[in-house]
């Protein structure tokens, strides 16, 4: 049986768009830090993973969500890939 990304914890770490323009780090304490181009920490806030769904609330109060599928994160019309260290 396949485990959800919530169960495996594989969502933690850096997620990057194919062109590298957007970089979103999902931190273990339920916070994220997103860079856009040369703008570091363009967005920051909290997130919660339930199953393969992720819900975001940035520090300004904006809500968004996304889905993990096949090792890829789909969020805000963008596609993110896990950066391997």
């Amino acid at each position: 049986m396949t485990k959800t990304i919530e169960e495996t914890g594989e969502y933690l770490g850096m997620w990057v768009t194919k062109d590298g323009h957007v970089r979103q780090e999902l931190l273990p304490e339920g916070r994220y830090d997103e860079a856009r181009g040369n703008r570091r920490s363009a967005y920051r806030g909290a997130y919660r993973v339930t199953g393969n769904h992720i819900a975001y609330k940035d520090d300004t109060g904006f809500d968004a969500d996304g889905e993990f599928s096949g090792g890829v994160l789909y969020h805000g019309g963008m596609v993110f890939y896990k950066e391997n260290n």
Side-chain angles (χ1 to χ4, degrees):
M1 185 169 167
T2 304
K3 291 185 176 185
T4 66
I5 202 158
E6 175 188 25
E7 293 170 319
T8 65
E10 293 175 10
Y11 59 88
L12 294 172
M14 186 65 74
W15 293 84
V16 184
T17 55
K18 192 171 189 172
D19 64 4
H21 183 73
V22 182
R23 302 175 57 81
Q24 184 180 92
E25 186 173 13
L26 299 177
L27 303 166
E29 66 273 8
R31 300 276 302 162
Y32 73 91
D33 191 316
E34 183 176 298
R36 298 260 177 144
N38 293 329
R39 188 171 162 212
R40 297 184 64 183
S41 299
Y43 298 97
R44 290 181 175 172
Y47 72 88
R48 181 176 178 177
V49 175
T50 306
N52 287 325
H53 179 83
I54 184 167
Y56 300 88
K57 184 168 195 114
D58 82 9
D59 291 343
T60 67
F62 180 79
D63 293 318
D65 64 352
E67 289 289 327
F68 296 97
S69 179
V72 176
L73 169 58
Y74 299 90
H75 159 63
M78 294 178 280
V79 179
F80 290 84
Y81 301 91
K82 182 86 179 275
E83 186 175 79
N84 296 320
N85 295 1

